[in-house]
């Protein structure tokens, strides 16, 4: 029998460590002006990344993030066995023409803004299950392509309600691998990466896969409220499955609930007897200075949690400020068609445990 | 160390058998009038499946297929540990509002018409890696929702070139599981399923994950030509990785290349020294009577290969007409946006090995 890696009702763990081998965050101008600017690998002041239009820009941004993460892992694209990628655009346009153009076996995934959680868990499962020695997970979003897809062309200059979030222009990529891949990575990677790590490794220690959760919210300008129930449900399931409490994590970091959603999330968990506020963060609230940058409820998009993880969150783990975090990207499952037909907006969220390990190599 | 389940450059195998536990194919009127009619679980003459519009119809059709496959496996939805689902619509509208509404941890996937290959491989990897005792894979497409999304509203009555395929209205679902799940399934499932199986089981024996392949074709009315290079590449990689030849399979069945694409596929493999014609089939050519049903180049859509697999192909394996097949769903990675911008249409395909086993229980 293969080792069982199921925990409780909907969680998984890994028999051996799954290591973060490479990471990259590529963002646009507004994100580069925000509080996390020093954690990003590349900031493009034009938001175009050399592309001809916003879709092309997003594809190129994603390709840059993937290529940089692979390079920082000390690998070439051909040495990556599987690539999990997703974005917000219909038919995964950015991924198919971006990361998909690399010579790597490709699996497209979609979970709206929760996609980084999904792709990272699937990449880790592929490695943990023995199907790949290393795999990459990448997602992206672009403010301009998302506005065109979901709302109004930018030229219309439409007004945004205060509950609305601002789609992050950014792509985050991670390469994960097993112990043999780690050894190759440490031998091959550039000196700056070796120096940053020292004898510290960050591992993907487990996760919880969420269910679609629909509280009947229909307001696409308040996606935090749509996603908060899914985030609370997956965190509750996670804590039950692993028999932990919020304080067992240095931080529990939701994807892009924003101001409104983060309060609902904490309330819902409070009703279940979990006090999450002392460790609660939200990528959507971390990425912009909401006062100075006029982003209303915060950042959102597949790229929001991805670049915050690949940049800021992993930095804090490597530096030792945190030892264990729960990363909970959240997605609002709406499409332009469903929204215009007046459907509800179901939410989904997945939880990923990341841990700092000394002497990991 | 976990058992390595990598084969060659881009293939995987399983250390223990992954069993097909349940399967269902739900289709619309045109498919129900075609040559495979006797292999489907449900045919809806209205194509609406009780829904209010075409998107709603597709969601309901997918939910029916998933529920039926789970019931035939002898399980309740809550006993399924993971659900991999995908469809053609932007933001996976049909899956999010269809299969996603079931109380099962949900992972959305997108590979255009190759999605059944992707979801089935990922479900099998989740089981084979020990992360789930059983998992479901489901995909759907609907002629009317696809025409609306990709081409013209039906009321326009537009003309179709001969190279065009006809999007299948159908959803196919499979439940796969490990030995303990098989034992529970055989104890709990209905008599008709037990009788059909006898002491025969069908197992997912391995697979090959494809790369995005772009030959520069831009004609969205000739998707067979867009996908054929990807299909030929993944079959070539598969045969190399497993050191097999086409004759080692009773059938090699592509997804929906149609007449035009199937010829290109055979030609491309012929150039590499593989003679695939004697065992070649295509779901898009099997599902309709192209003479009588005026479907031009054949059927297509995520549902095409899914219902052909869940119905016809698995029947032939259980009956013993075939012992080993290679199922190769093929996808054209276009979106309405990319097509209107004049982009090329890259293709992708994944290969799944299905084998008949006597005395499998």
């Amino acid at each position: 029998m293969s080792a069982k890696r199921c925990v409780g009702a909907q969680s998984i763990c890994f028999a051996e460590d799954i290591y973060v081998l490479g990471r990259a965050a590529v963002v646009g101008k507004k994100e580069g002006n925000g509080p996390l600017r020093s954690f990003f690998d590349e900031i493009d002041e034009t938001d175009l990344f050399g592309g001809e239009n916003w879709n092309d820009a997003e594809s190129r941004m994603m390709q840059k993030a993937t290529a940089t993460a692979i390079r920082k892992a000390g690998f070439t694209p051909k040495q990556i066995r599987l690539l999990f990628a997703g974005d917000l655009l219909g038919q995964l346009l950015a991924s198919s023409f971006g990361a998909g153009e690399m010579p790597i076996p490709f699996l497209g995934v979609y979970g709206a803004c929760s996609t980084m959680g999904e792709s990272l868990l699937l990449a880790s499962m592929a490695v943990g299950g023995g199907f790949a020695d290393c795999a990459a997970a990448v997602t992206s979003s672009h403010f301009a392509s998302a506005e065109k897809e979901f709302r109004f062309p930018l030229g219309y200059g439409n007004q945004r309600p205060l509950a609305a979030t601002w789609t992050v222009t950014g792509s985050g990529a991670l390469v994960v691998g097993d112990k043999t891949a780690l050894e190759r990575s440490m031998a091959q990677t550039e000196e700056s990466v070796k120096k940053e790590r020292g004898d510290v490794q960050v591992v993907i220690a487990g996760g919880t896969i969420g269910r679609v959760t629909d509280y009947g919210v229909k307001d696409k300008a308040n996606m935090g409220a749509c996603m908060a129930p899914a985030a609370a449900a997956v965190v509750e399931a996670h804590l039950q499955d692993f028999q932990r409490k919020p304080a067992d994590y240095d931080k529990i970091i939701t994807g892009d609930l924003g101001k409104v959603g983060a309060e609902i999330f904490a309330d819902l968990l409070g009703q279940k007897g979990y006090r999450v506020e002392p460790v609660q963060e939200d990528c959507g609230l971390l990425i912009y200075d909401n006062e100075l940058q006029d982003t209303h409820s915060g950042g959102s998009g597949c790229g929001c949690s991805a670049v915050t993880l690949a940049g800021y969150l992993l930095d804090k783990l490597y530096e030792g400020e945190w030892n264990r975090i729960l990363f909970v990207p959240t997605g609002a499952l709406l499409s332009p068609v469903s929204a215009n037909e007046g459907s509800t907006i179901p939410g989904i969220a997945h939880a990923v445990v990341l841990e700092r390990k000394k002497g990991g190599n």
Side-chain angles (χ1 to χ4, degrees), chain A:
Chain A
M1 281 303 293
S2 60
K4 284 292 162 205
R5 301 183 183 98
C6 308
V7 182
Q10 59 191 91
S11 298
I12 59 166
C13 64
F14 300 103
E16 293 118 41
D17 286 334
I18 313 293
Y19 301 94
V20 175
L21 304 180
R23 58 184 175 118
V26 176
V27 300
K29 181 178 180 181
K30 194 179 188 83
E31 296 68 30
N33 286 331
L36 303 188
R37 69 182 72 81
S38 65
F39 300 97
F40 300 133
D41 293 82
E42 189 177 335
I43 298 164
D44 188 317
E45 294 285 329
T46 70
D47 286 339
L48 270 170
F49 302 89
E52 291 186 359
N53 55 50
W54 299 127
N55 305 318
D56 188 25
E58 185 172 346
S59 291
R60 286 164 186 256
M61 175 178 69
M62 189 190 244
Q63 203 165 38
K64 276 174 197 269
T66 311
T68 304
I70 292 171
R71 194 200 76 225
K72 285 168 76 180
F75 294 145
T76 62
K78 286 209 169 176
Q79 291 176 302
I80 306 295
R81 201 168 164 94
L82 282 175
L83 173 62
F84 293 88
D87 60 87
L88 292 176
L89 303 179
Q91 292 78 39
L92 300 189
L93 180 52
S95 305
S96 302
F97 286 89
E101 293 212 339
M102 310 193 90
I104 312 173
F106 177 79
L107 294 159
V109 293
Y110 181 78
C113 308
S114 76
T115 308
M116 193 64 195
E118 176 174 353
S119 62
L120 184 54
L121 279 177
L122 285 172
S124 302
M125 287 163 71
V127 172
F131 302 106
D133 55 347
C134 64
V138 56
T139 67
S140 72
S141 56
H142 193 295
F143 175 74
S145 64
E147 289 296 304
K148 190 174 79 166
E149 176 101 3
F150 292 100
R151 285 166 287 260
F152 299 97
L154 295 184
Y156 286 19
N158 71 306
Q159 297 285 312
R160 303 155 47 81
L162 287 174
T165 48
W166 187 280
T167 305
V168 166
T169 299
S171 175
L174 259 67
V175 176
V176 296
D178 62 14
K179 197 168 176 62
T180 61
L182 173 69
E183 283 160 11
R184 278 192 297 134
S185 171
M186 289 302 281
Q188 289 168 210
T189 191
E190 50 212 65
E191 283 307 315
S192 61
V193 175
K194 282 183 196 168
K195 198 173 157 193
E196 176 193 71
R197 286 189 192 158
D199 64 343
V200 169
Q201 301 299 338
V202 174
V203 302
I204 313 295
T208 304
I209 294 144
R211 300 191 177 106
V212 176
T213 305
D214 191 347
Y215 268 33
V217 181
K218 292 184 176 185
D219 182 1
K220 68 176 173 169
N222 188 357
M223 291 201 283
C226 305
M227 301 185 289
V234 81
V235 170
E236 186 193 354
H238 177 82
L239 296 173
Q240 284 179 353
D241 285 349
F242 283 88
Q243 299 188 293
R244 287 182 185 159
K245 47 193 186 311
D248 291 328
Y249 291 92
D250 294 308
K251 291 286 173 193
I252 292 178
I253 305 142
T254 47
D256 47 6
L257 296 181
K259 267 192 221 174
V260 176
E263 283 174 27
I264 301 172
F265 169 73
D267 281 354
L268 288 171
L269 280 175
Q271 287 167 21
K272 301 283 182 180
Y274 296 108
R275 198 165 156 262
V276 75
E277 288 92 338
V279 296
Q280 184 183 6
E281 296 279 3
D282 183 70
C283 299
L285 293 173
L286 289 165
I287 196 162
Y288 298 122
D289 184 322
N290 283 331
E291 297 297 315
L292 290 176
Q293 295 189 286
D294 192 29
T295 46
H296 296 350
S297 193
S300 64
C302 294
C304 177
S305 57
V307 299
T308 306
L309 172 67
Y312 178 69
L313 304 183
L314 278 164
D315 255 49
K316 295 292 164 193
L317 285 164
Y318 281 115
E319 286 169 7
E321 192 168 324
W322 305 330
N323 286 304
R324 181 199 278 164
I325 64 171
L326 191 64
F327 172 64
V328 191
T330 45
L333 297 171
L334 85 164
S335 89
V337 173
S338 74
N340 288 330
E341 285 177 351
S343 298
T344 59
I345 304 175
I348 190 157
H350 306 295
V352 189
V353 184
L354 291 109
E355 289 179 0
R356 180 181 204 266
K357 283 214 166 181
K358 267 199 87 121
N361 188 21

